[in-house]
Amino acid sequence: MSLLLDGSEVDAVSAVGDSAWLQSGFISTVQKRGAVIIERRKLSSAMSAAKAACDHIHDWYKGTPAGSFVSMAVPSDGSYGIPEGLIFSFPVTISNGEWKIVQGLELNDFAKEKIAVTTKVRREERERERERERERNFWRRETKLLLHVENRSSKKMMELPLSLLAPSNTS
């Protein structure tokens, strides 16, 4: 990404001129921005999130200007070494409502390290979600196998899972 500084085109890192701060203080600031908004405004940071969502939809609808890109969380196609299918933030161009991952951006070692850490976290999150889905599916199947037993004294229906009726293996 480049910008004009004193009439010359420079990359964002050069424009800031402090890579140590970009790799520490800046990241910390971004990570804590929601809490800072709440602290300073005494209101929820939901408006900030809503603004970001509106900007995102605007970019998707209007497209990106030629030669520029935006970051968007999309399923990976394997670009930049991110496992295929993993939802990840990528640089994308957008035209006619279709996004395309920008290819060939050079990544420094710091960026590669952060991407590796984030990939590990996203993989773990995906696996936890898959496990939760397996559990939900188990209980959905279990409840489909319920027996309706009439309680003669109260005339109410009771639901019992079939697994309660299975013979016990204990002696």
Side-chain angles (χ1 to χ4, degrees):
M1 171 170 237
S2 61
L3 55 111
L4 284 178
L5 181 65
D6 298 328
S8 299
E9 190 171 304
V10 296
D11 65 272
V13 174
S14 298
V16 171
D18 188 350
S19 59
W21 177 77
L22 286 173
Q23 294 180 8
S24 60
F26 175 70
I27 291 174
S28 177
T29 299
V30 171
Q31 290 171 333
K32 297 174 185 173
R33 69 189 178 279
V36 170
I37 291 168
I38 292 168
E39 178 186 328
R40 296 227 173 113
R41 293 183 64 222
K42 306 296 184 221
L43 297 170
S44 166
S45 61
M47 186 60 75
S48 177
K51 170 74 168 99
C54 287
D55 290 347
H56 190 81
I57 291 169
H58 174 272
D59 292 337
W60 203 344
Y61 182 75
K62 293 285 190 177
T64 51
S68 69
F69 57 84
V70 295
S71 294
M72 186 180 282
V74 299
S76 175
D77 61 2
S79 295
Y80 298 99
I82 309 302
E84 194 168 330
L86 193 67
I87 306 297
F88 212 87
S89 181
F90 285 97
V92 298
T93 56
I94 307 165
S95 179
N96 299 319
E98 301 284 326
W99 53 264
K100 182 179 178 188
I101 296 174
V102 175
Q103 300 296 321
L105 295 179
E106 289 187 39
L107 303 174
N108 63 24
D109 290 341
F110 179 75
K112 290 175 185 176
E113 177 187 321
K114 291 299 180 187
I115 288 170
V117 168
T118 303
T119 300
K120 181 179 184 292
V121 169
R122 292 291 299 121
R123 279 180 153 164
E124 291 167 354
E125 288 171 347
R126 182 173 65 176
E127 187 50 42
R128 281 192 301 274
E129 182 53 37
R130 285 179 176 167
E131 181 58 33
R132 283 192 291 272
E133 186 61 26
R134 284 191 289 272
E135 289 174 12
R136 284 190 294 268
N137 287 338
F138 169 80
W139 289 111
R140 284 183 193 122
R141 285 190 305 276
E142 188 70 16
T143 56
K144 288 179 183 176
L145 299 174
L146 294 177
L147 293 177
H148 295 279
V149 178
E150 184 177 336
N151 180 328
R152 300 260 182 227
S153 61
S154 66
K155 298 290 184 188
K156 292 182 181 175
M157 298 296 285
M158 296 178 1
E159 294 182 341
L160 298 173
L162 286 175
S163 58
L164 291 179
L165 303 176
S168 173
N169 290 336
T170 59
S171 30

